[in-house]
Amino acid sequence: MNCRRCGTPIEKPGDYCLTCNTANADAVVAEFETDRAHLTMLDEDDVVGETTVTTRPEEGERLSEVQLRNFAGRVADEIRRKRPETVYAAGEREPLRETRAQLHHEFYRVPDGGASGAGGPNQDGGTDREADVSPVVAWVLDRRGDRSLAVVETPPREKIGGSHSTLIGDRKGRKAVQTVAEHPHVKKIVPGPIDAGGTGSRTGLRAKATRAGTNGNVRLLLRDGSSVQENRIVTTAMDRETGERVREDLNEALREAELQDA
């Protein structure tokens, strides 16, 4: 493959061109399995390359901590070669989570249920452009036509404000709010009053982002024992549809943080 701008040969499809400082892929879709990760490079709506990174668990067991870190490091290195604006990921949680920790790109988790219905025949009986790619890539392509959401550069700790500063759940409550505050499309979190009259729970603190409103904002519901707290989340979404995309991503992040039932 040659650079789309200057024509210089590049080593792998989608690599960033060091000759003219041009990106040849603006997004990477990573699909993780236990022992491999398949990467698809996108430039707008076009697939410009694919590659697979593999590893081998010892004696058929799951990856050890060191193997997992090294595997994720190889995937992260492959993504850095592309210098994409955005990374989308799906599949096995452990290598996905470790890869995300090693990257500083805008990173989105494709919902487990979101990829299953993508692609397929269209209303005219033909085939959508996504039909010849994986369901995960098709899910991403379908949403890349939407208007991009603004990214908030404010540090997470500065996004939290309002007249109520107390959070239920102590350390886990702070972890839930911090997890939400780290999302690039969250502008502000306003903690709400605590209602101690709820139904008791023995599962410890649970957190959930509720359905988006017409303005794209959502609520972070914290429940710890009989205490419930509803916190307002101001996002960069412009309507309910884009707000739902942010909500799905927040709930996935809360599940990965083990603050929500799988």
Side-chain angles (χ1 to χ4, degrees):
M1 177 178 177
N2 297 331
C3 172
R4 61 187 173 88
R5 181 180 181 185
C6 69
T8 300
I10 53 180
E11 185 177 349
K12 295 183 178 181
D15 276 1
Y16 187 87
C17 179
L18 299 176
T19 301
C20 67
N21 294 320
T22 298
N24 287 285
D26 59 9
V28 175
V29 182
E31 301 175 60
F32 289 90
E33 297 178 30
T34 303
D35 59 352
R36 67 187 60 236
H38 185 75
L39 307 182
T40 302
M41 280 59 75
L42 303 177
D43 183 29
E44 295 185 349
D45 292 340
D46 296 326
V47 175
V48 296
E50 297 177 276
T51 190
T52 300
V53 179
T54 63
T55 188
R56 180 177 296 176
E58 292 182 357
E59 299 178 358
E61 298 178 353
R62 296 187 68 85
L63 296 176
S64 68
E65 184 176 344
V66 173
Q67 287 177 310
L68 177 63
R69 188 164 57 247
N70 291 341
F71 175 39
R74 291 179 58 206
V75 176
D77 286 343
E78 196 67 41
I79 292 173
R80 291 190 194 99
R81 294 176 61 103
K82 321 304 177 189
R83 300 191 190 181
E85 297 174 4
T86 310
V87 178
Y88 299 88
E92 285 288 320
R93 292 179 183 274
E94 290 186 355
L96 186 157
R97 187 182 297 131
E98 179 62 31
T99 301
R100 183 175 193 169
Q102 295 189 31
L103 291 171
H104 299 287
H105 297 76
E106 187 174 311
F107 202 107
Y108 293 100
R109 177 84 155 80
V110 177
D112 292 337
S116 59
N122 59 29
Q123 293 180 347
D124 298 324
T127 303
D128 292 332
R129 63 180 178 183
E130 297 94 345
D132 57 348
V133 297
S134 75
V136 174
V137 175
W139 187 94
V140 172
L141 288 172
D142 185 53
R143 282 151 184 78
R144 281 172 65 78
D146 297 340
R147 288 178 289 175
S148 297
L149 299 182
V151 173
V152 180
E153 302 293 346
T154 305
R157 63 180 180 278
E158 296 180 13
K159 294 181 181 180
I160 305 169
S163 57
H164 298 277
S165 59
T166 303
L167 295 169
I168 66 172
D170 298 325
R171 182 178 60 83
K172 284 193 172 183
R174 292 191 297 272
K175 180 180 179 182
V177 171
Q178 177 72 16
T179 298
V180 170
E182 290 173 353
H183 193 281
H185 300 323
V186 169
K187 294 195 291 187
K188 188 174 183 180
I189 302 173
V190 182
I194 298 172
D195 181 1
T199 303
S201 173
R202 298 180 181 180
T203 58
L205 184 129
R206 300 284 89 182
K208 180 181 181 181
T210 64
R211 189 167 186 265
T214 55
N215 58 0
N217 294 333
V218 299
R219 303 273 176 171
L220 173 64
L221 191 66
L222 301 180
R223 187 181 301 274
D224 184 34
S226 61
S227 298
V228 178
Q229 185 176 25
E230 190 176 75
N231 307 281
R232 185 163 62 95
I233 305 174
V234 182
T235 77
T236 59
M238 66 289 293
D239 51 33
R240 175 168 285 155
E241 181 180 357
T242 50
E244 281 295 288
R245 288 164 49 195
V246 176
R247 180 188 68 83
E248 290 174 357
D249 207 41
L250 291 177
N251 280 327
E252 184 60 40
L254 291 168
R255 281 191 290 273
E256 290 187 359
E258 299 181 347
L259 295 167
Q260 191 178 109
D261 297 330

